[in-house]
């Protein structure tokens, strides 16, 4: 919202979408995952659709400092590698 986006929360989390952003007439589906340690982050493949408007908001929480925030497009999983893999 600070960047001029409209933000809509989902009433039911049945499609792995935590909120939707609208910016300049475009809509983006956002799935949020948080973790306290740098470790494996699990997303269910059958509900995390690979589309240009689907993103993972990954937040690493730290004990005594500001969290690290990453916004990752779902399409990175179209070409899996050592960082973005599938099982």
């Amino acid at each position: 919202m600070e960047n001029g986006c409209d933000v809509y929360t989902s009433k039911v989390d049945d499609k792995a979408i935590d909120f939707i952003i609208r910016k300049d007439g475009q809509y983006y589906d956002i799935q949020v995952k948080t973790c306290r340690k740098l470790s494996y982050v699990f997303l269910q493949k059958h509900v995390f659709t690979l589309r240009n408007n689907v993103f993972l908001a990954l937040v690493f929480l730290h004990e005594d400092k500001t969290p690290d925030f990453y916004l990752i497009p779902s399409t990175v999983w179209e070409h899996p590698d050592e960082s973005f893999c599938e099982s």
Side-chain angles (χ1 to χ4, degrees), residues 21-75:
I21 293 175
R22 184 179 69 177
K23 176 76 172 172
D24 299 328
Q26 300 277 345
Y27 287 87
Y28 303 94
D29 296 341
I30 311 296
Q31 169 70 52
V32 179
K33 293 289 183 184
T34 60
C35 56
R36 294 188 183 282
K37 297 178 185 178
L38 185 58
S39 63
Y40 181 80
V41 176
F42 177 76
L43 299 168
Q44 293 184 22
K45 187 175 181 178
H46 71 280
V47 292
F48 190 69
T49 308
L50 305 185
R51 292 190 324 259
N52 289 332
N53 70 327
V54 176
F55 290 82
L56 169 64
L58 184 58
V59 182
F60 288 106
L61 304 174
H62 303 286
E63 187 75 27
D64 294 323
K65 65 181 206 179
T66 306
D68 293 321
F69 176 82
Y70 301 91
L71 190 60
I72 304 167
S74 66
T75 54

Side-chain angles (χ1 to χ4, degrees), residues 1-7:
M1 293 184 321
E2 292 176 4
N3 293 313
C5 298
D6 296 321
V7 179

